[in-house]
Amino acid sequence: MAAANWTGVSEFILVSFSSLPTEIQSLLFLAFLIIYLVTLTGNSLIILVTLADPILHSPMYFFLRNLSFLEIGFNLVIVPKMLGTLLARDTTISFLGCATQMYFFFFFGVAECFLLATMAYDRYVAICSPLHYPVIMNQRTRIKLAVASWFPGFPVATVQTMWLFSFPFCGTNKVNHFCDSPPVLRLVCADTALFEIYAIVGTVLVVMTPCLLILCSYTRIAAAILRIPSAKGKHKAFSTCSSHLLVVSLFYVSSSLTYFRPKSNNSPESKKLLSLSYTVVTPMLNPIIYSLRNKEVKNALSRTIHKALTLRKSIP
């Protein structure tokens, strides 16, 4: 990064919800705090239970555990600072802090895109090739798929963050909501046409490519489900995919609407709502939609709690 840009702007002001009345901000703080705690607790339980219970050592729960790690990281990047602005009214963030927040936001976001595609492939193999599923999705393969899902976040986040923060900033230093690409890009006082082209191309590659892979997987899954003779079998097969489809739809629609037009004239408030859907709401829904409605996870959670209580009673 150019040294001049580091000295030109020393901090940013996160506008977020500061324009709202104090009473509304207090209610938002309480709502976001509850969502934050539910997100951390739910995803942490998924990680612990799927690690502790041997029955949940299947590939599906391995990828679900990776998704829970991502969702926790997503929340730690965004929500604590948001809670601080609502509670302490401390809306400032340093230049380096803003760049760091953006870097990890992109890293976790890109990794989640590819991990959702990997999870769709896992469901495709489980439904379309059930007899070969344990062989195809062996431990070595699923580790490779997990690494391949996490890795793209590093180069994308590095290029996007370093390029954007190498531009000169002038005028207002107010960032709408948090340090995401579209609001920070509005503060740049230079020609950003090339960067916007890169942002659109990057969105196509990072967001739409996994999305197309998911569509291909579910097209084959749908064809396989239609060939199942019994209604009960169709319902069971579809139930294993419905939760994934719901979260994928929410994540991809909101992120695509935000990043396909980085300098669009859409109202800042509408972009806040879109970003909240995949930075705050979706991570909270992960343990609810994916697992807490799952009988295997419920039984595993019950067994884990029972073992913990029994162990505690046995300790003098």
Side-chain angles (χ1 to χ4, degrees), residues 127 221-242:
I127 293 174
I221 289 172
I225 291 176
L226 290 175
R227 290 195 298 268
I228 298 175
S230 67
K232 185 178 180 180
K234 290 180 180 179
H235 175 75
K236 184 178 180 180
F238 178 75
S239 64
T240 64
C241 307
S242 58

Side-chain angles (χ1 to χ4, degrees), residues 18-195:
S18 58
S19 60
L20 297 175
T22 304
E23 296 78 8
I24 302 297
Q25 291 190 52
S26 299
L27 290 175
L28 286 175
F29 170 79
L30 182 60
F32 290 147
L33 178 61
I34 293 173
I35 292 174
Y36 180 59
L37 293 176
V38 170
T39 301
L40 292 184
T41 303
N43 285 288
S44 297
L45 281 175
I46 290 174
I47 294 170
L48 293 174
V49 170
T50 55
L51 282 173
D53 199 301
I55 296 177
L56 301 184
H57 287 181
S58 65
M60 181 177 74
Y61 295 108
F62 170 79
F63 294 123
L64 182 59
R65 187 160 58 245
N66 275 263
L67 183 63
S68 292
F69 273 115
L70 282 175
E71 302 292 26
I72 290 173
F74 230 148
N75 258 243
L76 291 176
V77 169
I78 302 299
V79 181
K81 183 59 181 178
M82 188 188 303
L83 292 174
T85 60
L86 290 169
L87 179 64
R89 307 296 188 266
D90 180 16
T91 59
T92 61
I93 184 171
S94 67
F95 187 91
L96 180 60
C98 188
T100 302
Q101 186 183 66
M102 181 181 292
Y103 178 89
F104 284 104
F105 174 73
F106 278 119
F107 168 72
F108 288 119
V110 171
E112 183 160 346
C113 286
F114 284 93
L115 185 60
L116 289 173
T118 299
M119 294 175 75
Y121 174 72
D122 172 71
R123 291 298 83 208
Y124 157 72
V125 177
I127 293 174
C128 298
S129 302
L131 297 179
H132 298 94
Y133 179 66
V135 178
I136 296 174
M137 299 300 292
N138 57 62
Q139 185 176 10
R140 185 175 181 181
T141 300
R142 57 180 182 251
I143 290 175
K144 287 182 177 180
L145 288 171
V147 171
S149 300
W150 283 80
F151 177 75
F154 288 106
V156 172
T158 301
V159 173
Q160 182 98 343
T161 305
M162 291 190 68
W163 191 354
L164 181 52
F165 278 87
S166 68
F167 285 118
F169 295 92
C170 57
T172 180
N173 63 341
K174 294 182 178 180
V175 176
N176 187 48
H177 202 24
F178 63 92
C179 291
D180 194 4
S181 179
V184 174
L185 189 61
R186 290 177 176 271
L187 309 182
V188 173
C189 52
D191 184 9
T192 59
L194 187 60
F195 178 84

Side-chain angles (χ1 to χ4, degrees), residues 277-310:
S277 66
Y278 65 90
T279 58
V280 178
V281 178
T282 300
M284 180 191 68
L285 293 177
N286 173 33
I288 298 173
I289 293 178
Y290 275 102
S291 300
L292 297 185
R293 293 171 55 193
N294 185 302
K295 189 175 180 180
E296 287 184 343
V297 175
K298 285 183 179 179
N299 292 337
L301 181 60
S302 178
R303 288 192 297 269
T304 303
I305 294 174
H306 178 72
K307 287 180 182 177
L309 293 175
T310 303

